[in-house]
Amino acid sequence: MQLTYVLELLKPTKRKENIFLNNIAEVVKNRQAIADKLKAGEAKLSSADFKEHNLPSAVKNQNIREVKALYKRFLKSKSKKENIEFKDNQPICYNNQNYKIDNHIISIPLYTSKCQRLAFPVKQTIRFKELQQYIKDGCKLDKASLFYKRRKWYFAVTIKIDDKKTTNTNVMGIDIGLRQLAVASIKTSKDKEINRQFHNGKQAGFIRKKYRSLRRRLGKSKKVKVIKNINDKEQRWMTDLNHKISRQLINLAVQEQFGPIIMENLENIRNTAKSLNRADRNLHSWTFYQLQQFIEYKAELAGIKVEYINPKYTSQGCSKCAKVKKSNRKANLYSCECGNHIHADLNASRNIANKYLEQQSA
Ligand SMILES: [Zn+2]
C-alpha cells in the first residue's frame, strides 16, 4: 500500500524562495503552452516543441502527458470555459531518483539549471519522525512534490509499504477512556495475559483544563478568533499525543507478534464521556475516534488486523469469572467477589480481548 507524508519545510531564504517560485512559474507557463497547442489541434507534441521554456526535457515530457490527460477530461466535461486553467501554485513533481532525504534535510534539484541542488531543512514533527522510521526500516521512497501554500513550503513524499500478514493467535484488547486514555491487554488464546500497557490521561486532563480556563476568560471579551486559535492548538496537542500513543501500542503489538487488535465500536465511547459537559464530550468523541483511526491505520501498515466488538458490559463485567455487576466498578478499581481486584480499565481491556476470543471459539 501507499502512504503520503506532507512535510512542512522551514522557511527558506528569500533567494531560495524566489528560485523555486520562478521554477513553478516556468512549469505553469509550459503547461499553459501545451494546453494551447492541444486546443489548436496539435496532438503530436514533444519536449522539442517548447524550447523557450527553461525546463529539463523529462519535465516537459511529464507535463505533456499530464496536460494531455487533463485536456481529455476537460473535453469530456463539456466545460464552457475557453481553455483549461492552471493554478499559480502548481506543485513541482519529483521522482525518487531526483530527491534525497538525509536526516532532516531534503535536497532537490532545480528545474531551471540542471546541476544545481538546493537543500531544505524539514520541520521536526511526529509525522516526520514516523517517515524517518519507515526509511530506516528500508521502506522505498516514491514520487514527491514541492508546493507553496499560504506562505509556507511543503514537500509531500509518497512511500510504498509491503502488506504483511501475521498468523499468531494472541490478541490485544484496547480500552479507550478518559482517566486512562488507552489500556492494552495482550492475551493468548488460552486466556493468559502476557503483556499490558497503560496510557495515563493525567497530562491530557491538565491541558484540557488549561485551555478551558483560557477560553472562559476570553469568552467574556468575545475574541472569537483568539478562541479559535486556542481550539486549534488544543487539537494539535491531542493529535500529537494520539500519534504517540498509537505508535507505542503498535510497537508493543509488533514486539509481541500477534493477530488482531480488538477495540470497542464507538457507541460506547460516547457513553464513557457521559459525565462531561457537551463541549468536552464532543472533543472527547473526536479524540477517541481519532485515536482509534490512528491505531487502525498504523496496525494495517504493520500487517495487523483490527476487529471491533460490541461494548456491552465490558466495563461492568468481571474479566476473571464473567459475572456482571455494575457496583463492582468503583472509579479506578474493579473488585469482584471471586477475588479479582484490578484496575478498572485493565479489567475492561481484558474483557474486550475475552469477548473476541469467545466469539472465535463459539
Ligand atoms: Zn469475578
Side-chain angles (χ1 to χ4, degrees):
M1 71 173 291
Q2 275 196 346
L3 253 192
T4 302
Y5 282 86
V6 179
L7 308 172
E8 190 185 329
L9 305 174
L10 294 183
K11 196 166 173 47
T13 59
K14 259 267 131 13
R15 187 185 72 93
K16 269 190 206 175
E17 197 161 278
N18 284 334
I19 290 172
F20 275 94
L21 287 173
N22 282 338
N23 266 216
I24 291 176
E26 203 66 21
V27 170
V28 175
K29 240 194 274 168
N30 182 234
R31 296 187 141 214
Q32 198 62 62
I34 295 167
D36 288 342
K37 280 195 196 275
L38 289 173
K39 210 185 146 201
E42 295 179 46
K44 267 195 170 176
L45 297 174
S46 80
S47 59
D49 298 321
F50 303 95
K51 285 208 178 76
E52 69 277 25
H53 298 132
N54 192 9
L55 297 169
S57 46
V59 174
K60 288 180 194 170
N61 287 328
Q62 170 82 12
N63 277 343
I64 291 170
R65 275 194 300 275
E66 282 175 18
V67 175
K68 265 188 180 170
L70 280 174
Y71 191 64
K72 224 176 173 178
R73 254 187 286 159
F74 175 74
L75 291 180
K76 247 192 189 163
S77 73
K78 301 208 168 69
S79 165
K80 290 203 174 64
K81 279 188 218 153
E82 279 290 290
N83 205 341
I84 42 174
E85 282 168 32
F86 299 96
K87 285 184 197 146
D88 290 336
N89 58 351
Q90 290 276 304
I92 306 188
C93 301
Y94 301 95
N95 65 36
N96 55 0
Q97 282 127 37
N98 294 148
Y99 71 93
K100 274 188 205 126
I101 301 181
D102 217 354
N103 284 317
H104 65 292
I105 305 280
I106 289 176
S107 96
I108 27 189
L110 277 185
Y111 271 3
T112 39
S113 58
K114 262 187 222 167
C115 316
Q116 209 184 337
R117 298 182 76 85
L118 286 185
F120 287 91
V122 181
K123 197 170 171 183
Q124 296 295 317
T125 58
I126 291 171
R127 287 288 281 170
F128 183 50
K129 280 190 195 126
E130 258 183 56
L131 174 65
Q132 283 175 311
Q133 190 58 52
Y134 280 123
I135 295 173
K136 247 188 236 158
D137 295 345
C139 249
K140 286 218 172 75
L141 294 170
D142 206 18
K143 275 183 196 153
S145 62
L146 176 75
F147 62 95
Y148 185 67
K149 202 175 166 188
R150 292 199 197 105
R151 298 195 184 173
K152 280 181 181 168
W153 288 90
Y154 297 92
F155 197 70
V157 182
T158 311
I159 55 171
K160 274 184 190 156
I161 289 153
D162 296 335
D163 295 324
K164 301 172 251 169
K165 286 279 171 283
T166 59
T167 49
N168 207 307
T169 51
N170 295 345
V171 302
M172 178 195 261
I174 301 178
D175 180 58
I176 288 173
L178 261 186
R179 270 181 296 249
Q180 295 289 328
L181 298 177
V183 177
S185 165
I186 296 188
K187 303 189 82 170
T188 66
S189 56
K190 297 194 176 61
D191 207 30
K192 190 174 167 252
E193 184 176 74
I194 53 172
N195 212 333
R196 55 173 84 158
Q197 195 174 78
F198 284 82
H199 293 277
N200 192 300
K202 251 187 206 154
Q203 207 194 353
F206 174 74
I207 293 283
R208 197 166 61 238
K209 270 186 206 128
K210 184 183 107 180
Y211 284 119
R212 193 199 294 141
S213 75
L214 256 176
R215 264 193 297 270
R216 233 178 242 157
R217 253 184 288 149
L218 287 161
K220 285 169 192 147
S221 52
K222 298 240 163 39
K223 289 181 180 157
V224 180
K225 216 172 172 184
V226 183
I227 290 177
K228 197 189 164 291
N229 277 339
I230 293 172
N231 291 347
D232 289 349
K233 235 184 185 168
E234 182 174 8
Q235 284 205 357
R236 274 201 300 274
W237 192 88
M238 271 315 296
T239 300
D240 275 5
L241 185 64
N242 279 342
H243 268 304
K244 275 185 204 147
I245 293 173
S246 51
R247 172 49 50 210
Q248 283 172 31
L249 287 165
I250 300 304
N251 284 349
L252 177 65
V254 170
Q255 173 200 318
E256 300 291 352
Q257 299 185 343
F258 61 83
I261 286 175
I262 323 297
M263 291 190 282
E264 297 175 308
N265 60 32
L266 278 165
E267 296 296 309
N268 187 53
I269 284 171
R270 272 181 217 116
N271 292 336
T272 54
K274 227 178 230 167
S275 57
L276 300 163
N277 67 41
R278 195 198 289 164
D280 275 359
R281 198 158 61 218
N282 284 340
L283 177 74
H284 276 93
S285 29
W286 170 81
T287 76
F288 290 162
Y289 179 72
Q290 186 188 50
L291 180 56
Q292 283 199 330
Q293 293 297 302
F294 286 177
I295 292 169
E296 200 174 311
Y297 92 78
K298 284 172 192 172
E300 193 184 327
L301 292 174
I304 298 165
K305 259 202 327 195
V306 172
E307 303 276 1
Y308 290 90
I309 52 111
N310 182 334
K312 212 170 181 187
Y313 303 133
T314 49
S315 61
Q316 297 171 12
C318 172
S319 57
K320 202 171 174 187
C321 70
K323 186 173 162 183
V324 175
K325 195 172 170 192
K326 201 174 174 186
S327 62
N328 279 353
R329 181 184 181 157
K330 288 197 177 76
N332 281 341
L333 190 71
Y334 190 92
S335 256
C336 179
E337 291 79 359
C338 74
N340 188 19
H341 306 285
I342 58 169
H343 192 291
D345 295 323
L346 180 63
N347 182 62
S349 68
R350 284 185 185 174
N351 278 334
I352 291 168
N354 288 348
K355 241 189 189 179
Y356 176 80
L357 291 169
E358 276 160 31
Q359 280 172 13
Q360 292 309 98
S361 60

